[in-house]
Amino acid sequence: MPLNISFAHHNYVKRNDQQFSRFCFATQFSQQFKASLWEHSLPLELQLYQVVEKVVSVDDFLRLREVSGLTPRPYDAAKRALPNSLFGVQVVIDNHTVGMGRVVGDGALNFEVVDIAVEPIYQGKGVGRMIMQSIMGYLDRDAPKGA
């Protein structure tokens, strides 16, 4: 059965002087193929990461802030604030959000990058870089010159 695979970000990691391919974003894998990947327990750096340009849920926001060591925020305040974000991005592995970032501001002159958080087990694996690349892509596309 052929697979329709597209990659948005591909790089290499080195371990013991050997180079391994790392696919950080993939779409359209069949469920059977995904299941076979997890069955073989791929190392963290070879798991598939999905970058989703959407603000995280309140629950994921609060959880990621807590586990990454950021200041806790009240649930009600987060529920009010998150929909007012200019842009949000999350990194998902097997339907589990492992990292997030947001942009807040007035949408014309001021853009502030906030709430960059990655689960500790995924820190140092390029997740934060993927979040920042997505945020910079948004700013390049949508922020007016001179902002």
Side-chain angles (χ1 to χ4, degrees):
M1 171 176 154
L3 293 174
N4 184 6
I5 303 171
S6 61
F7 295 100
H9 180 72
H10 178 243
N11 62 13
Y12 295 92
V13 291
K14 277 194 165 188
R15 182 187 292 153
N16 300 330
D17 292 324
Q18 290 183 312
Q19 204 170 37
F20 294 88
S21 179
R22 175 166 73 181
F23 301 102
C24 297
F25 178 78
T27 57
Q28 300 175 7
F29 280 99
S30 73
Q31 288 298 78
Q32 182 181 10
F33 180 70
K34 280 184 180 179
S36 71
L37 285 177
W38 302 121
E39 253 177 42
H40 299 313
S41 300
L42 290 175
L44 285 177
E45 62 269 18
L46 297 179
Q47 291 180 11
L48 300 173
Y49 298 81
Q50 182 180 18
V51 175
V52 180
E53 292 187 340
K54 177 182 168 188
V55 176
V56 295
S57 69
V58 174
D59 291 331
D60 282 334
F61 174 81
L62 297 174
R63 177 184 57 79
L64 285 169
R65 285 190 63 88
E66 182 180 334
V67 301
S68 66
L70 297 177
T71 307
R73 300 290 192 183
Y75 183 90
D76 290 336
K79 187 175 177 181
R80 285 181 54 199
L82 291 177
N84 294 315
S85 304
L86 295 174
F87 178 78
V89 61
Q90 53 191 293
V91 176
V92 179
I93 298 175
D94 197 29
N95 295 320
H96 177 71
T97 301
V98 299
M100 68 172 181
R102 295 190 309 138
V103 176
V104 298
D106 60 24
L109 292 175
N110 297 300
F111 296 79
E112 186 177 351
V113 176
V114 297
D115 300 322
I116 305 298
V118 177
E119 284 187 15
I121 192 170
Y122 294 99
Q123 292 175 4
K125 308 286 185 199
V127 174
R129 180 177 294 124
M130 286 186 277
I131 291 167
M132 287 307 301
Q133 285 174 339
S134 182
I135 287 173
M136 294 308 296
Y138 161 76
L139 294 172
D140 289 344
R141 285 187 313 267
D142 292 8
K145 295 242 185 264

